[in-house]
Amino acid sequence: QVQLVESGGGLVQAGGSLRLSCAASGGTFSNYGMGWFRQAPGKEREFVAAINWSGGSTYYADSVKGRFTISRDNAKNTVYLQMNSLKPEDTAVYYCAATRLPNRPGRDTKNYDYWGQGTQVTVSS
């Protein structure tokens, strides 16, 4: 059983930056592809970014491409989401997730087996 704990959320002005972290425990981290998703009030959870087991392949939603960067440190069992040029529409609860598909983590929530509790990101205009 893999446990995931996100941190780094908060309140930031539009144009600012935040870095989210997700610490994993309870499994061999490099066996998992990792993803970030977000959910705004009244909306479905949506894909943000994903990374394969080695960090060699990354995937982004069109809405964040060029502004967000996903990375991982397998020695620290941690995945990161660097968020730059934040917009009010980025406001959401951000969730970290792990999938047993290490090479093709995918964009569908159904691909993911373990989820963190989420961290709130609020971008003010």
Side-chain angles (χ1 to χ4, degrees):
Q1 189 80 4
V2 174
Q3 292 82 44
L4 303 171
V5 179
E6 302 98 334
S7 61
L11 174 64
V12 63
Q13 288 188 334
S17 298
L18 283 174
R19 187 175 85 153
L20 305 183
S21 299
C22 172
S25 61
T28 302
F29 186 62
S30 58
N31 285 349
Y32 295 89
M34 300 297 297
W36 286 98
F37 292 76
R38 66 188 182 187
Q39 189 167 17
K43 295 189 176 181
E44 292 189 352
R45 192 168 297 188
E46 65 174 4
F47 171 78
V48 175
I51 189 167
N52 76 333
W53 71 274
S54 67
S57 296
T58 56
Y59 311 87
Y60 296 95
D62 288 344
S63 60
V64 307
K65 200 171 294 184
R67 300 188 298 122
F68 290 10
T69 302
I70 188 171
S71 61
R72 65 189 295 162
D73 185 337
N74 286 344
K76 295 183 178 180
N77 292 351
T78 302
V79 62
Y80 305 97
L81 185 68
Q82 177 67 44
M83 305 186 294
N84 298 330
S85 303
L86 283 161
K87 304 176 181 180
E89 51 263 44
D90 295 317
T91 295
V93 177
Y94 282 70
Y95 296 91
C96 169
T99 173
R100 296 191 189 99
L101 301 173
N103 289 314
R104 292 182 176 272
R107 300 167 182 255
D108 193 334
T109 57
K110 297 175 184 176
N111 287 351
Y112 290 80
D113 304 288
Y114 305 101
W115 292 84
Q117 83 289 347
T119 186
Q120 177 70 47
V121 172
T122 302
V123 185
S124 63
S125 57

